[in-house]
Amino acid sequence: MNTSREEIIGKLRKTRSHVTEQRIAVMEYLESVKNHPTAKEIYNELKRRGVKISRASVFNVLRFLRDQGLIREIKVADENHYDARIEFHPHFLCKVCGRVLDLDVSDVGFYHGKIPHKVEQIDLIITGVCQKCLKKLDTI
Ligand SMILES: [Zn+2]
Ligand SMILES: [Zn+2]
């Protein structure tokens, strides 16, 4: 995903609230990664990059972005992970390395059009052992 700063600012403007450097920084970071970081990981990475932001602000920004539908919050084993990819897609949690990976809807043959209710959000998390860990286990 390569979303430019201008596109991110455009998305934030649409919320009709303030476009702050901190909101831009969190969005920019989430758009650039696919590893579904936790709030703590986001905070540590932004600090490393020299962004002036407190732990509390990271939580506030994440809550704001989530409420505005700009990011997705995925609860995995008591921890919230964040994802800038907002369209429905299932996740795969590796119980060995703890990574949360994206899957495509076609991978799981999932068709939510069959549900006779009004669907607003679907969270599908599949747990198992990821390919990378399987390869490692094979070579032991
Ligand atoms: Zn793994
Ligand atoms: Zn995802």
Side-chain angles (χ1 to χ4, degrees):
M1 247 185 293
N2 261 323
T3 314
S4 71
R5 193 180 159 88
E6 285 68 40
E7 282 176 88
I8 288 168
I9 292 173
K11 284 185 194 179
L12 288 169
R13 282 225 173 97
K14 278 192 195 140
T15 66
R16 294 174 178 276
S17 9
H18 293 294
V19 178
T20 63
E21 273 309 315
Q22 299 178 330
R23 286 176 180 173
I24 296 170
V26 172
M27 275 292 276
E28 243 174 355
Y29 174 54
L30 280 176
E31 297 265 12
S32 72
V33 294
K34 285 186 176 153
N35 62 342
H36 309 87
T38 60
K40 197 178 154 201
E41 287 165 342
I42 294 166
Y43 170 76
N44 288 339
E45 179 57 24
L46 292 182
K47 273 274 158 209
R48 204 185 59 78
R49 292 181 183 188
V51 177
K52 284 197 174 65
I53 192 163
S54 68
R55 218 174 272 259
S57 299
V58 170
F59 278 105
N60 288 338
V61 169
L62 288 170
R63 198 178 313 133
F64 167 81
L65 296 173
R66 180 203 62 196
D67 290 348
Q68 295 294 329
L70 292 175
I71 60 168
R72 236 182 134 93
E73 188 177 74
I74 316 150
K75 201 176 171 74
V76 182
D78 281 345
E79 264 206 292
N80 287 326
H81 294 255
Y82 295 89
D83 195 350
R85 194 178 154 192
I86 48 173
E87 83 279 7
F88 170 67
H89 61 282
H91 288 105
F92 185 90
L93 168 69
C94 175
K95 60 183 187 181
V96 179
C97 65
R99 289 191 302 159
V100 179
L101 306 165
D102 282 339
L103 293 178
D104 284 317
V105 179
S106 56
D107 292 340
V108 288
F110 193 81
Y111 179 55
H112 71 262
K114 281 180 183 163
I115 300 169
H117 311 287
K118 180 174 175 267
V119 175
E120 292 187 336
Q121 186 176 331
I122 300 174
D123 298 306
L124 180 59
I125 297 164
I126 298 164
T127 308
V129 182
C130 77
Q131 276 180 316
K132 223 174 166 181
C133 289
L134 275 178
K135 269 190 204 137
K136 263 189 225 159
L137 292 173
D138 273 353
T139 53
I140 292 170

